[in-house]
Amino acid sequence: MTLPIGVLVSGRGTNLQALLDACAGGALDAKIVYVASNRDGVPALIRADRAGVRHAAFTVDKYGTRAAAHGAMADTLASARARLVVLAGFDHILAPIFFVKLSGVPVINIHPALLPFFGGKGMHGDKVHAAVLKAKAKESGVTVHRVHPDTVDMGEVIVQRRVPVHDGDDVPTLSARVLAVEHEAIVEAIRRFLPSQATVS
Ligand code: GRF
């Protein structure tokens, strides 16, 4: 049975694109049923539109509070019958109401480093790569992990992929190397949730 997925985005949407391509090409027996953003007009929403996937922005400006925006997002994902939620470059911490409304639906996140290192509140996007370089780490990578209420980057690891950090790397070169493996790791992680795999609840 094809897995219906909801995807949450905030910006560029290359991970979303990797998922759209994997579903369309048959590499993943899943269907993206809804794309929700916390920002208006971001490229990720344009990607959803082009792929013919229902989508909307749930902004704090529109809903008044983060909890109201996240609650509305959860209601919409539930109506779309999403059975897995993927945070693909989503930069808000989800309000607890989101998990209450989607009780029983697993939520997973892509983090562009090797958790438990270089994670936590405020560590997203280029800040992560800058911290890895500052620490002179020899390797970085990607972690796809479960998301639970009131924790940031602490859920069970589903897939981890490593990449080397080279002498002379800067944020753009390191982030590009990590991004390439993100696109593979997120597809691999979602495969673990396919009904035919049934090892992850
Ligand atoms: C990725 O590095 C992701 O891991 C991080 O934000 C970035 C989003 O990239 N959380 P994109 O929007 O999928 O292109």
Side-chain angles (χ1 to χ4, degrees):
M1 202 194 74
T2 302
L3 180 69
I5 303 176
V7 182
L8 270 49
V9 294
S10 296
R12 184 176 56 175
T14 64
N15 280 289
L16 168 67
Q17 192 65 55
L19 293 181
L20 289 167
D21 294 347
C23 294
L28 195 58
D29 185 12
K31 178 178 162 66
I32 299 177
V33 291
Y34 206 91
V35 174
S37 169
N38 57 334
R39 301 224 173 78
D40 278 318
V42 292
L45 290 176
I46 298 167
R47 293 177 192 272
D49 198 61
R50 276 202 208 117
V53 176
R54 284 191 293 156
H55 57 87
F58 297 78
T59 64
V60 175
D61 270 0
K62 184 169 170 198
Y63 288 91
T65 63
R66 191 177 281 213
H70 292 180
M73 206 156 61
D75 286 338
T76 304
L77 293 172
S79 300
R81 306 229 179 284
R83 298 306 306 154
L84 173 71
V85 173
V86 179
L87 312 191
F90 183 72
D91 62 10
H92 266 179
I93 295 171
L94 284 168
I97 188 73
F98 184 89
F99 298 90
V100 173
K101 285 177 179 273
L102 284 170
S103 170
V105 176
V107 181
I108 66 174
N109 179 51
I110 314 167
H111 184 79
L114 297 173
L115 292 175
F117 306 105
F118 306 109
K121 205 168 176 195
M123 284 294 270
H124 53 77
D126 286 350
K127 281 188 202 158
V128 178
H129 304 299
V132 168
L133 292 170
K134 192 167 174 218
K136 300 195 187 313
K138 293 280 177 249
E139 59 178 8
S140 189
V142 55
T143 306
V144 184
H145 63 94
R146 287 287 290 262
V147 179
H148 302 293
D150 297 321
T151 63
V152 179
D153 295 335
M154 306 256 300
E156 309 89 290
V157 171
I158 301 159
V159 169
Q160 211 158 39
R161 290 280 190 94
R162 291 164 188 275
V163 300
V165 178
H166 297 316
D167 291 344
D169 262 344
D170 54 15
V171 168
T173 59
L174 179 58
S175 65
R177 196 174 306 122
V178 171
L179 192 64
V181 290
E182 285 184 39
H183 295 165
E184 298 168 3
I186 187 59
V187 172
E188 191 184 326
I190 291 172
R191 280 206 191 100
R192 314 271 177 100
F193 290 86
L194 296 179
S196 56
Q197 302 295 304
T199 49
V200 188
S201 61

